């Protein structure tokens, strides 16, 4: 795959306060990469740098396919945590303003209203919408352009499960259409569900990165298997040759209801590395 974003040793400070330190990573075309960390870890600052809203105080960012000569202008969609919508205008009027700026047809607005299930609220003022519906309007705005890269900053923060599911579906559709998605979140389940790769960010530093399953496997220090037998009896046994006889017996006797390995989830990996939780 072609590399669309290459960040090398990014650093950023506000006065004497370090926000980001020695951040390096790549993002490939057509993948969803997640930046996972608690509030205040520096996620939004990094997105602002990638989208050109801030200049890093150190390091460099290259946007565009490598090997294609000079960096090209890629279409970018941005959904930030702050809504930035015109409160007294309707959903359609908000989208029409940005469609005019982007030189996008009204036909695309209509299609997006259907995709995000916002057509019933088409003529409703934004200040009368729920937080979940406002989030979908903001996502519509980010999707107005046929984006090469979509930056989503905490797109489901504070939303109900049904709205979160709808937004996840839209993100999957964008990925299937070839869009590269850069997602920031503190939601471990969201990252594991949507992301091809994740970066764990703590106090401005990347403390781990890779495929979510691979990260969890790397940090599996217990080496155990939990077996639940029919009737609810549970056993924790070593994931080692000495457990072979016992497991074989349970299998022959058809006693096993469920088997689980002991690798941690991303939440527990983050806790082991940093001593704090993602939701802090």
């Amino acid at each position: 795959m072609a590399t669309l974003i290459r960040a090398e040793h990014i650093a950023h400070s506000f006065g004497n306060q370090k926000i980001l330190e020695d951040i390096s990573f790549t993002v490939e075309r057509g993948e969803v990469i997640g930046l996972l960390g608690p509030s205040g870890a520096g996620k939004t600052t990094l997105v602002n740098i990638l989208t050109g809203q801030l200049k890093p105080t150190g390091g460099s960012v290259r946007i565009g396919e490598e090997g294609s000569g000079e960096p090209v202008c890629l279409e970018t969609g941005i959904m930030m945590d702050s809504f930035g919508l015109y409160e007294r205008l309707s959903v359609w009027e908000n989208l029409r303003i940005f469609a005019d700026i982007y030189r996008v047809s009204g036909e695309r607005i209509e299609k997006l209203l259907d995709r995000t299930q916002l057509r019933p609220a088409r003529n409703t003022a934004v200040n009368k919408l729920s937080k979940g519906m406002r989030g979908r309007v903001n996502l519509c705005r980010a999707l107005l352009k046929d984006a090469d890269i979509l930056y989503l900053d905490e797109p489901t923060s504070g939303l109900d499960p049904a709205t979160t599911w709808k937004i996840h579906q839209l993100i999957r559709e964008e990925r299937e259409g070839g869009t590269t998605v850069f997602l920031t979140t503190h939601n471990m389940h969201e990252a594991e569900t949507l992301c091809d790769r994740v970066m764990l960010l703590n106090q401005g530093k990347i403390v781990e990165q890779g495929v979510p399953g691979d990260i969890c496997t790397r940090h599996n220090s217990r080496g155990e298997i939990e077996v639940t037998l029919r009737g609810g009896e549970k056993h924790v046994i070593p994931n080692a040759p000495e457990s072979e006889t016992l497991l074989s017996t349970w299998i022959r006797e058809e006693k096993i209801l469920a088997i689980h390995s002991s690798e941690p989830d991303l939440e527990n990996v983050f806790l082991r590395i940093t001593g704090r939780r993602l939701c802090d």
Side-chain angles (χ1 to χ4, degrees), residues 50-273:
L50 295 177
T51 55
Q53 299 174 75
L54 277 178
K55 282 191 70 174
T57 52
S60 63
V61 178
R62 187 189 190 281
I63 308 292
E65 287 191 1
E66 294 185 347
S68 59
E70 291 297 315
V72 296
C73 182
L74 299 177
E75 292 290 353
T76 299
I78 306 172
M79 177 184 177
M80 303 301 287
D81 191 26
S82 55
F83 290 118
L85 299 172
Y86 295 99
E87 293 285 317
R88 289 186 288 180
L89 298 183
S90 71
V91 170
W92 191 89
E93 288 167 337
N94 266 276
L95 296 176
R96 179 73 265 177
I97 288 172
F98 290 98
D100 287 344
I101 293 171
Y102 301 148
R103 299 181 181 178
V104 173
S105 70
E107 181 181 352
R108 183 160 178 83
I109 298 177
E110 300 298 336
K111 289 181 179 178
L112 286 171
L113 289 174
D114 288 332
R115 282 186 65 195
T116 54
Q117 300 178 13
L118 281 171
R119 181 164 295 282
R122 183 183 189 278
N123 297 316
T124 303
V126 165
N127 61 10
K128 295 183 178 179
L129 298 178
S130 66
K131 184 176 182 181
M133 293 184 76
R134 288 177 181 223
R136 278 187 274 159
V137 176
N138 215 18
L139 183 57
C140 269
R141 186 177 70 175
L143 295 175
L144 279 170
K145 295 187 287 183
D146 189 12
D148 296 291
I149 305 175
L150 191 60
Y151 295 95
L152 304 178
D153 188 22
E154 304 279 5
T156 60
S157 177
L159 302 186
D160 62 90
T163 303
T164 295
W165 183 86
K166 289 171 186 173
I167 289 178
H168 285 182
Q169 286 296 102
L170 289 167
I171 293 172
R172 290 188 185 97
E173 289 171 10
E174 288 300 307
R175 182 190 184 281
E176 289 167 4
T179 302
T180 299
V181 181
F182 191 95
L183 171 72
T184 74
T185 182
H186 61 264
N187 185 319
M188 173 270 295
H189 176 71
E190 182 165 80
E192 291 181 334
T193 299
L194 295 176
C195 297
D196 300 296
R197 292 187 295 123
V198 296
M199 300 180 291
L200 305 185
L201 188 70
N202 183 55
Q203 296 180 341
K205 296 180 181 180
I206 293 176
V207 295
E208 180 63 280
Q209 60 180 307
V211 177
D214 292 348
I215 291 174
C216 294
T217 299
R218 278 200 300 273
H219 290 269
N220 182 8
S221 59
R222 287 174 56 194
E224 295 173 337
I225 300 172
E226 183 181 281
V227 181
T228 303
L229 302 181
R230 298 187 184 279
E233 184 181 345
K234 292 186 178 182
H235 297 267
V236 177
I237 60 177
N239 187 1
E242 58 263 31
S243 300
E244 179 182 359
T245 301
L246 185 56
L247 274 175
S248 297
T249 300
W250 285 337
I251 292 171
R252 283 197 307 271
E253 295 175 356
E254 298 183 351
K255 287 186 174 181
I256 295 178
L257 183 64
I259 299 179
H260 297 284
S261 54
S262 59
E263 67 268 13
D265 57 22
L266 288 176
E267 175 78 43
N268 283 308
V269 169
F270 192 85
L271 180 61
R272 290 180 187 182
I273 295 174

